[in-house]
Amino acid sequence: FSRIRKGESSSIVGPRRIGKTSLLYQLIHPSNLTRYRLNPQEYLFILIDLQGKGEYTQEEMFKLFSTAAGGAKNEDGWFKSLRQRLQELKDNGQKVVFLFDEFDNMADNDRLSPGFYGNLRALNQGFLCCYVLASMKRIEDLIEEKSIKSSPFFNIFGGGVFLSKVLAKNEAENLIITPAEEMGVDLSVEPRRFILDYVGYHPFFIQILASYLFDERIKGEVNVDNVKREFMRDMLEYFWYDWRHRSEGQKGIIRRLVECRPEERGNILQSYPDEINDLKRGGYIIYEEGEYRLVPAFIEGGPDKEVRKEEPCPKTQKMPEEINALPINQQVTVTDSRGITNIQAGRDVHYYEAERPKDEERKIKKLGITSFPPYFAHPYPLQANFTGRTAERKELTEWFTRAPQPMLAC
C-alpha cells in the first residue's frame, strides 16, 4: 500500500493456489484502502486476469486494458485509446493501478515485443498509473533469456511480496483449530495429526482436507480412507500440475528419496542443499525435530501418479469375444471380483479404467460374465494428458463412487 501511495509498482510472487489472487482482491477492497490511508475516490484499480491470454497480440492486449479502463475504440488503435482514457482519468485527479493476475502468461507470450513493454513504461511515466503483477515466478526469472529482458518496464518493480508456500507448524495447527472451534467441531490431536501428516503445512491443502474431515466428523465416525479418497479425487490435478512443473533435477531427487533405503536419505539430502530447500518450500519435504520426511499427498499426486501413468494400459488387453461381438450401440454393465465397474459398447471402442468400492459391487447385467479385464468406454480416444471437462468428470466420479444404480450410455 505504501508503494501504491507513492505511485510505485510492485510484484506478488508465489506458487499456484497460495493466495495471490485473493491478495489482489484485498488490495482493492475499499475498507483496506481506507485503513492504509488511500482515498478510494482517488484510485481506480483495474484487475485483469491474464489466464488464457497467452497468445494475444499487442493490439488485443491494449484493447483489453483500454476497455477495462472504460476506454472507447480509437481509429488510430487501442494504445491511443488507452492513452486517451488515462489522460481523462488524470484530468479528473484519479490514479490508476493495473493489477495483472497470472502475469506468467503475458511474459511467456512471444507476440509481445520489448516495444510493447516500453509503451507500458511510458504510461507509468506519463500518467498517474502503476502496476501490480502476480506471478508464480520472480520477474527476473520470467524474462531470463527473452528479448523483453531489455525493456525498461521491468526496472520499475523495486519491491515485491513473496508468498511462502508452507506455514510454520504452529500456524498450520491454528489454521485447523480456529475454524473448527468456530464451527463447534471438536478436532482432537489425532485428526490434526492426520491432516498435517498427510498434506504437510501447505495452507490451501490443509483447509481442503480439513473441510472433508469436518464433514465426516459432523456425520459421525470419521473414516480416514474415505476422507483421503475424496480429497485426492478433487485435488489430484493440482498436485500433478505442480509435479509436472518441477525441474528434472528436483524430480530426480524426489524419486531417489522415495526409492532409497532410509539410511541412504542423509547423503542425498546433504548433496543437493539448494534443490532440497526448494522442495521444502514447495511442500514435498518437511524438516522438524532434526529429521526430514516426505509429505504423502505430494508423493501420491506427483511421482506415484507418474508411475501409474507409465504402467501398461488396460486397453491393450483383449476383451471377451462375447462382448466384442455386440453391436456398437448395445451396452452391457458388469462388475468383476475386484469391484471394478465396466461399461462396454462393442468393438473398436476406447477404454479407460475406473474403480468402485467393493461394498457397492453390482449384480452382473446380461451375458452372465463373471470376470474380465476392467474397462470404461469412451466414444473418442483419450489423450495422454486429458483431464476432461470439470463438470462432466465430477458427474461421472459421483456416479462411480456413490450411485446405487448402473449408468447406461448411448
Side-chain angles (χ1 to χ4, degrees):
F1 282 107
S2 63
R3 292 185 62 81
I4 291 175
R5 194 161 48 244
K6 297 174 185 176
E8 299 174 347
S9 298
S10 306
S11 64
I12 300 172
V13 181
R16 195 167 183 250
R17 310 300 299 184
I18 197 64
K20 298 185 296 294
T21 303
S22 298
L23 183 54
L24 290 178
Y25 277 108
Q26 289 298 316
L27 284 176
I28 64 179
H29 197 283
S31 64
N32 288 330
L33 296 178
T34 303
R35 178 182 176 186
Y36 290 98
R37 306 192 308 280
L38 277 73
N39 185 350
Q41 304 304 319
E42 293 181 6
Y43 286 88
L44 175 62
F45 288 83
I46 303 174
L47 176 57
I48 297 177
D49 182 5
L50 294 169
Q51 180 142 11
K53 301 174 178 64
E55 298 294 328
Y56 272 32
T57 64
Q58 297 183 168
E59 188 67 7
E60 288 172 328
M61 277 295 184
F62 285 129
K63 178 182 178 180
L64 177 66
F65 302 159
S66 180
T67 53
K73 186 176 182 180
N74 187 293
E75 61 182 15
D76 293 328
W78 284 102
F79 179 63
K80 181 70 172 179
S81 166
L82 179 58
R83 286 178 57 89
Q84 288 180 340
R85 179 55 180 159
L86 292 179
Q87 184 63 57
E88 294 171 0
L89 294 169
K90 181 180 179 180
D91 293 341
N92 290 331
Q94 278 196 295
K95 303 172 184 178
V96 177
V97 181
F98 284 101
L99 307 157
F100 291 159
D101 197 9
E102 302 284 351
F103 180 72
D104 309 69
N105 293 279
M106 191 162 130
D108 289 337
N109 187 350
D110 293 332
R111 294 185 173 189
L112 306 180
S113 67
F116 168 82
Y117 289 99
N119 285 331
L120 293 181
R121 171 64 183 269
L123 297 178
N124 169 256
Q125 293 177 317
F127 305 95
L128 300 176
C129 76
C130 62
Y131 305 93
V132 178
L133 312 182
S135 60
M136 290 192 293
K137 298 180 181 179
R138 297 179 303 170
I139 291 176
E140 53 265 39
D141 294 330
L142 284 172
I143 64 176
E144 185 68 27
E145 299 181 358
K146 294 182 180 179
S147 61
I148 60 175
K149 185 177 181 179
S150 61
S151 172
F153 172 74
F154 298 102
N155 297 335
I156 65 177
F157 296 92
V161 176
F162 295 89
L163 301 180
S164 172
K165 190 162 188 175
V166 295
L167 304 173
K169 183 176 181 179
N170 64 316
E171 294 173 329
E173 289 178 337
N174 288 334
L175 191 59
I176 301 170
I177 295 170
T178 303
E181 290 178 345
E182 291 175 353
M183 295 175 61
V185 177
D186 178 28
L187 284 184
S188 60
V189 174
E190 284 303 317
R192 295 202 301 271
R193 183 178 299 152
F194 156 68
I195 294 172
L196 300 182
D197 284 349
Y198 191 59
V199 299
Y201 302 151
H202 189 294
F204 174 67
F205 296 119
I206 287 174
Q207 293 178 83
I208 297 298
L209 183 57
S211 70
Y212 288 123
L213 197 64
F214 292 167
D215 291 342
E216 283 283 309
R217 175 55 62 86
I218 291 173
K219 293 176 186 176
E221 191 69 24
V222 174
N223 186 317
V224 172
D225 291 334
N226 285 343
V227 173
K228 283 185 178 181
R229 184 167 53 248
E230 293 286 321
F231 170 81
M232 192 54 71
R233 184 192 69 186
D234 291 340
M235 294 294 107
L236 180 60
E237 64 181 278
Y238 296 112
F239 290 113
W240 181 234
Y241 177 93
D242 186 87
W243 174 253
R244 287 189 294 112
H245 286 79
R246 289 281 154 187
S247 69
E248 289 304 316
Q250 292 179 10
K251 289 180 181 179
I253 291 171
I254 288 294
R255 292 189 191 105
R256 290 179 62 186
L257 290 171
V258 170
E259 297 167 0
C260 74
R261 294 190 298 270
E263 60 269 21
E264 297 175 334
R265 284 186 177 177
N267 291 333
I268 299 174
L269 294 167
Q270 292 175 7
S271 301
Y272 307 96
D274 293 338
E275 289 83 355
I276 294 299
N277 284 331
D278 285 340
L279 290 169
K280 284 168 59 180
R281 287 191 291 268
Y284 287 82
I285 297 174
I286 286 179
Y287 180 77
E288 58 185 0
E289 298 179 359
E291 293 184 355
Y292 286 92
R293 69 176 178 89
L294 296 172
V295 178
F298 282 86
I299 304 305
E300 291 176 24
D304 283 0
K305 182 183 186 301
E306 191 173 57
V307 170
R308 292 194 300 271
K309 185 179 179 181
E310 293 171 352
E311 292 176 348
C313 179
K315 71 180 180 183
T316 61
Q317 304 178 41
K318 187 178 179 181
M319 289 292 291
E321 287 302 317
E322 301 97 315
I323 296 291
N324 277 332
L326 289 173
I328 192 67
N329 61 350
Q330 185 171 347
Q331 310 291 317
V332 57
T333 300
V334 301
T335 300
D336 72 3
S337 59
R338 292 180 299 160
I340 305 292
T341 299
N342 311 276
I343 302 179
Q344 209 284 333
R347 194 180 297 275
D348 297 325
V349 176
H350 300 272
Y351 304 99
Y352 182 73
E353 182 175 311
E355 293 192 7
R356 182 176 183 81
K358 288 185 179 180
D359 59 351
E360 295 183 24
E361 188 168 309
R362 307 179 180 193
K363 298 294 183 181
I364 296 172
K365 309 293 182 182
K366 300 182 181 180
L367 298 181
I369 298 174
T370 57
S371 179
F372 55 79
Y375 297 95
F376 169 52
H378 275 274
Y380 47 82
L382 289 181
Q383 301 168 356
N385 61 347
F386 180 80
T387 57
R389 292 176 293 242
T390 302
E392 288 85 345
R393 186 175 67 230
K394 187 176 189 303
E395 182 178 351
L396 284 172
T397 304
E398 287 291 321
W399 172 74
F400 276 126
T401 58
R402 298 178 186 277
Q405 72 281 350
M407 172 184 283
L408 300 178
C410 299

